[in-house]
Amino acid sequence: MQISDLPYPDPGVPDARSGPRFLLWLGRGQIGGQLKSLCWGMLHFGGVAGLPYAVGLGVDAVVDREPNRLLLAGGLLVLIGVAISVGDAMLHRTAVTNWITAAARVQQLLARKTAELGSALTRRVAAGEVVAVSTGDVEKIGWFVEAVSRFLAAVFAIVLVCVGLVFYAPDLGVVVAVGVPVIALAALPLLPRATRRADVQREKAGRATELASDTVAGLRVLRGIGGEELFLGRYREASQEVRKAAVRSARMWALISAIQVALPGLLLITVVWYGASLALDGRIAVGELVAAFSAVATLLYPLRHFEEIAMAYSFSRPSAQRAARVLSLTRTDPAERSAPAEPVGEPAAGGDLYDPRTGLLAPAGRFTAVVCGDPDLAGRLAERLGGHPMDEQGGDRDVDGDGDGDGAAGREAQDAPSVLLGGVALDELELDTARRLVLVQDKDPVLLSGTLRELFDVPASGSVDSAAALAAAQCGDVLDALLQSAPDGVDDPMDARITERGRSLSGGQRQRLALARSLVTDPEVLVLDEPTSAVDSHTEARIADGIAALRAGRTTVVLASSPLLLDRADRVVLIDGGTVAAVGTHRELLHREPRYRAVVTRETDEEQRLAGLGMTELEEALTEIEESA
């Protein structure tokens, strides 16, 4: 794999059982690149290892006054220099390629998982953790993957130097062969403590990143309730904890670095002292002493890779663990569902949408409105209708940060059967098929930056064009606003640019553009969660008419409590206590269902009690109220 070949056509199925398994899977997936890097590394480090012997050969030639041997040593030095230069350049090239391709593979896997889970991802994993994994953690994972081949090449060079010295100068070679493994393994007892401190630092840094990301995402709300300073104080505390943990971790790595410098220095002193005594006794030649000294000095370079691989693994292991945790999430819990006896086919067109858990039935080809007293339940129900069970596998995550866990909803969701479309379970369909059949628009849809034409460039049936969708969503004023803010020369509002997340537009304008985008896709089933909560009543009435007209003959489910939308629906369903409580038209339910009337008209308990009284009882109740006043 070359950088020019990225992205991967298929990043593969990762082994997400643990962080180390995930790192091993990444390494196996790049075995070709690792072997290339290892070969170039062996050329580079082999040249480094052979340099002392060439120098020793040249010194002996000078001492013995042999010009031919001196020329041979000079030629050997030139050859070794070329090997070192070419090997170093290609090693760097292949190592960086391994790093980038590993990082790109992880990013592709995370992007695919994000697209698979949709908005359900942030209900099961904190949004800040997703940001931390897809940015800093990806770099650390790539670092370890590319460091492995360089480490193996360094080991090859160390073995080559030690074995060569044993044959070239046996007396000094034995000392070096015994001392080098001691130096390489001296820091091993300190690595567990250094790893633990690095893990603590990464964990605290991840929490600080999550806190910062979540705070920025909800900054507008925090300012509205006056909680900005509170969260700023929390972030300051979290950042100070990260600083303290980083200092503790740096102290341990500094100690390891000191050992990697001090022990080779002691070995070098030992070799010089012992070699000088051997040279004075005539047991070794001067060239052998120079070669041994140069070999030990040269070993400092490959020995540094022992420290690097230890640091790379210590830093990448928790990062890989976080990435594996995200990548292990699935749309459904495999333990909670049995495999079908035969391959599941696509449901027949025009099938009803049915939720066994709540008892909600949305007849095919009709406009169904759903009223929930709990807005959170409405959001979870919308996701469930799209084939995303509510918080499965994420039931024990402490969503609200109060420390008590929020597992009940997740465990209940795991026990609930899947939503059926035409009698076929959505979670048993291929993801692409399920997304094509059922589209869910969230309460807070996201608009990416780009032109309006690019915004509407989405998978669609082709039956609804953008002009009809924009008209149904009442986006005329939005088009005018975009055209006015567009630079000179832009005459078509479809070519006007939208800023990131549509921040240049009002909430109602963003909501209507998102609705128009959903209408363009023209899915078999369209689920809308509060699609008109940010628009005025006059616009809302026209949007309701537009949705009903444009979606005629198609299954549409709208979760809302607005009377204007409910009155246009063919069928209204009241969800109370997590199950269907009443079914009928909007006007029927207003007259016969107090719970429905309370949600839609915002009646208080006292108003509901008075509405159920007769005339005599009503007069008595009013008298009591006046007397108490």
Side-chain angles (χ1 to χ4, degrees):
M1 171 64 71
Q2 300 295 322
I3 296 178
S4 59
D5 298 328
L6 295 174
Y8 285 93
D10 180 12
V13 180
D15 186 348
R17 289 176 290 178
S18 66
R21 288 179 182 271
F22 180 61
L23 291 174
L24 180 62
W25 177 83
L26 279 177
R28 288 202 307 266
Q30 295 181 204
I31 192 68
Q34 294 286 354
L35 289 176
K36 287 181 182 179
S37 184
L38 177 60
C39 290
W40 289 115
M42 292 174 67
L43 176 64
H44 170 64
F45 283 104
V48 172
L51 191 61
Y53 306 113
V55 172
L57 182 64
V59 171
D60 285 338
V62 172
V63 172
D64 297 338
R65 300 180 181 277
E66 297 182 2
N68 293 333
R69 286 177 59 192
L70 185 60
L71 288 175
L72 177 63
L76 186 59
L77 282 173
V78 171
L79 184 63
I80 289 176
V82 172
I84 292 175
S85 300
V86 174
D88 188 28
M90 296 306 298
L91 173 61
H92 177 75
R93 180 185 178 88
T94 54
V96 170
T97 300
N98 289 336
W99 181 85
I100 293 178
T101 51
R105 186 191 293 270
V106 177
Q107 287 179 328
Q108 279 188 254
L109 291 170
L110 291 171
R112 186 174 67 180
K113 182 61 63 176
T114 302
E116 176 187 340
L117 296 176
S119 61
L121 175 62
T122 53
R123 290 204 303 271
R124 297 160 61 183
V125 180
E129 183 172 353
V130 177
V131 173
V133 171
S134 59
T135 53
D137 287 340
V138 167
E139 295 182 3
K140 296 177 181 65
I141 292 171
W143 177 27
F144 175 74
V145 171
E146 67 91 8
V148 171
S149 56
R150 290 189 289 109
F151 167 71
L152 294 177
V155 172
F156 165 77
I158 291 173
V159 172
L160 190 63
V161 168
C162 293
V163 173
L165 273 180
V166 169
F167 285 97
Y168 183 71
D171 294 330
L172 290 176
V174 171
V175 175
V176 175
V178 172
V180 167
V182 173
I183 295 173
L185 301 177
L188 194 61
L190 299 177
L191 286 180
R193 182 177 297 180
T195 301
R196 286 194 299 270
R197 292 190 179 185
D199 289 348
V200 171
Q201 177 194 352
R202 294 297 169 221
E203 181 181 357
K204 291 183 180 297
R207 289 177 181 175
T209 303
E210 293 171 19
L211 180 60
S213 177
D214 294 341
T215 301
V216 170
L219 188 59
R220 185 173 300 177
V221 177
L222 290 176
R223 287 175 175 173
I225 63 176
E228 187 176 1
E229 288 298 326
L230 175 62
F231 275 78
L232 182 59
R234 290 182 180 178
Y235 179 74
R236 287 195 184 110
E237 293 176 1
S239 63
Q240 289 302 312
E241 291 181 2
V242 173
R243 181 186 63 80
K244 294 176 182 178
V247 170
R248 293 186 73 248
S249 177
R251 287 173 179 169
M252 186 56 63
W253 288 112
L255 178 60
I256 293 175
S257 297
I259 292 174
Q260 293 294 316
V261 172
L263 292 185
L266 292 176
L267 178 61
L268 189 62
I269 293 173
T270 301
V271 168
V272 171
W273 174 78
Y274 184 54
S277 62
L278 292 177
L280 290 175
D281 294 340
R283 296 169 58 183
I284 62 171
V286 175
E288 294 176 338
L289 175 59
V290 173
F293 172 80
S294 301
V296 175
T298 302
L299 285 177
L300 295 177
Y301 172 48
L303 279 173
R304 286 203 299 268
H305 289 76
F306 282 79
E307 178 187 355
E308 183 190 6
I309 195 67
M311 291 184 66
Y313 180 73
S314 299
F315 280 63
S316 65
R317 187 173 60 84
S319 297
Q321 187 65 43
R322 282 196 291 267
R325 183 165 60 249
V326 174
L327 295 175
S328 64
L329 299 175
T330 57
R331 285 203 299 159
T332 57
D333 186 359
E336 297 293 336
R337 48 179 276 213
S338 58
E342 57 185 24
V344 177
E346 184 174 331
D352 296 340
L353 184 69
Y354 176 65
D355 179 18
R357 181 181 181 188
T358 60
L360 171 64
L361 174 66
R366 301 185 66 186
F367 184 176
T368 302
V370 181
V371 176
C372 296
D374 182 4
D376 293 334
L377 174 60
R380 295 196 299 269
L381 178 59
E383 288 297 326
R384 180 172 170 77
L385 293 176
H388 303 286
M390 297 175 289
D391 291 326
E392 75 280 13
Q393 294 184 354
D396 293 329
R397 188 168 71 86
D398 186 12
V399 178
D400 52 15
D402 56 8
D404 59 359
D406 301 287
R411 288 187 292 272
E412 291 175 6
Q414 288 182 356
D415 296 334
S418 171
V419 171
L420 305 178
L421 177 62
V424 178
L426 285 181
D427 61 5
E428 293 180 356
L429 295 173
E430 292 292 333
L431 179 61
D432 292 342
T433 302
R435 291 282 170 84
R436 177 172 53 82
L437 293 173
V438 183
L439 173 66
V440 178
Q441 178 179 301
D442 295 333
K443 187 177 300 183
D444 298 313
V446 175
L447 302 181
L448 300 179
S449 60
T451 65
L452 193 57
R453 195 181 309 278
E454 292 171 340
L455 178 68
F456 285 90
D457 185 16
V458 293
S461 67
S463 300
V464 179
D465 59 23
S466 57
L470 288 166
Q474 300 298 310
C475 294
D477 63 316
V478 184
L479 298 180
D480 293 338
L482 289 174
L483 199 55
Q484 290 176 2
S485 61
D488 295 338
V490 177
D491 300 325
D492 189 349
M494 297 299 293
D495 295 326
R497 295 195 63 82
I498 301 173
T499 58
E500 183 183 358
R501 302 182 71 89
R503 289 192 172 94
S504 60
L505 304 173
S506 67
Q509 290 174 328
R510 289 195 299 269
Q511 194 174 59
R512 281 177 283 161
L513 281 180
L515 175 60
R517 179 181 58 186
S518 299
L519 294 174
V520 163
T521 62
D522 190 38
E524 183 170 329
V525 179
L526 176 60
V527 180
L528 304 172
D529 185 10
E530 293 287 355
T532 58
S533 59
V535 300
D536 59 81
S537 58
H538 297 288
T539 305
E540 185 177 32
R542 293 194 294 269
I543 290 175
D545 291 334
I547 294 175
L550 197 61
R551 293 287 300 173
R554 307 288 269 174
T555 307
T556 306
V557 181
V558 177
L559 292 98
S561 58
S562 167
L564 294 171
L565 276 174
L566 299 173
D567 194 39
R568 267 69 169 183
D570 300 323
R571 191 167 182 266
V572 179
V573 179
L574 172 65
I575 303 292
D576 186 52
T579 59
V580 173
V583 180
T585 65
H586 170 61
R587 298 176 188 273
E588 290 173 353
L589 294 179
L590 274 179
H591 286 90
R592 65 179 173 85
E593 183 54 58
R595 289 173 295 180
Y596 178 82
R597 187 167 57 248
V599 174
V600 174
T601 64
R602 313 298 197 270
E603 284 184 348
T604 64
D605 294 339
E606 183 64 21
E607 289 172 337
Q608 293 182 52
R609 186 180 71 82
L610 294 177
L613 297 177
M615 184 60 66
T616 304
E617 292 86 350
L618 181 59
E619 291 177 354
E620 293 177 355
L622 291 175
T623 302
E624 291 178 2
I625 293 176
E626 291 176 355
E627 292 177 352
S628 61

